[in-house]
Amino acid sequence: MTWKKFSGEVIQSSILEEIEKAIIRESENGFKLKVCIGTDSQVKGATTDFATVIVLLREHHGGFMYIHQEKSTQQVSIKERMLMEVQKSIETAYSICDLLDIYDVALEVHADINTNPSFKSNKALNDAMGYILSMGFIFKAKPEAFASSTCADKMVH
C-alpha cells in the first residue's frame, strides 16, 4: 500500500514506521497528538476514486496527514460505497492502533456520512457507526468528521 505526504512525496518506509517517527518527533517538540482516520470517494464515470487519510493533529497547533489513494471499477450503491469507505478507514486504523496505544495517542475514525436523514449517505449511518464502534474505535460523523469530509474529500475532487 502506497502512502504519500500532502506534498505528494511518497513514503518510502512502512506507514507504521513513518507514523512512529512522527509521534516521537512531535512529542519531543512538546505536542500532544490525536490521530483521525477517514476515507472519502468520488464516482467518476465507471471508476470510483477512494482516498484514505491519516491525520495527525497537534493539540492547538494544526496538523499534517498521510494519504493513500486507490481506484475501483466495482459498481455499488451509495450505501455500499459508504461502507467501503468505512472499511478502508477501519483497516487503516486497525493497522496502526497498537502503535498508537504504545504512545498513548488518541484515535478517531471519521465517516463521511451525514447525520441528517434527508441526505442519501444517511442510509449507511447506523451500519457504519455499529461497524466502527464494534471494532472499539471512537466514531465521528458529519459535521465532526473532518478527516473524511474535508481532508480525504480534497484528494478525490
Side-chain angles (χ1 to χ4, degrees):
M1 199 182 260
T2 304
W3 288 88
K4 297 177 181 175
K5 294 181 179 178
F6 187 63
S7 65
E9 179 191 339
V10 174
I11 306 297
Q12 299 301 329
S13 59
S14 76
I15 190 63
L16 212 54
E17 288 175 50
E18 183 69 23
I19 288 174
E20 186 168 29
K21 282 192 290 192
I23 290 170
I24 292 167
R25 180 187 69 236
E26 297 299 325
S27 298
E28 286 173 352
N29 288 328
F31 295 114
K32 180 170 173 46
L33 292 175
K34 175 165 74 173
V35 171
C36 303
I37 295 173
T39 302
D40 195 14
S41 61
Q42 177 76 31
V43 178
K44 296 175 181 170
T47 305
T48 304
D49 289 343
F50 288 92
T52 300
V53 297
I54 301 172
V55 181
L56 281 82
L57 280 183
R58 300 179 195 103
E59 196 171 56
H60 308 299
H61 286 89
F64 54 98
M65 68 179 176
Y66 301 100
I67 304 125
H68 169 70
Q69 291 180 276
E70 58 189 291
K71 294 182 185 303
S72 171
T73 53
Q74 189 180 351
Q75 299 299 302
V76 295
S77 69
I78 180 105
K79 183 175 179 179
E80 287 174 298
R81 186 162 57 92
M82 297 295 113
L83 292 174
M84 286 169 78
E85 291 177 7
V86 168
Q87 182 177 3
K88 290 173 188 309
S89 295
I90 286 175
E91 286 170 0
T92 301
Y94 193 73
S95 72
I96 67 167
C97 65
D98 290 345
L99 175 70
L100 299 180
D101 285 348
I102 291 167
Y103 290 98
D104 196 28
V105 174
L107 170 65
E108 295 177 356
V109 176
H110 292 192
D112 188 36
I113 297 174
N114 208 302
T115 51
N116 181 332
S118 65
F119 287 84
K120 287 183 190 167
S121 67
N122 183 262
K123 291 186 183 98
L125 181 65
N126 288 340
D127 292 347
M129 187 163 54
Y131 189 8
I132 292 167
L133 294 174
S134 71
M135 293 296 291
F137 298 123
I138 294 170
F139 167 81
K140 298 282 185 190
K142 284 182 176 175
E144 286 89 32
F146 66 85
S148 55
S149 57
T150 304
C151 301
D153 176 79
K154 296 251 182 301
M155 306 315 298
V156 292
H157 282 92

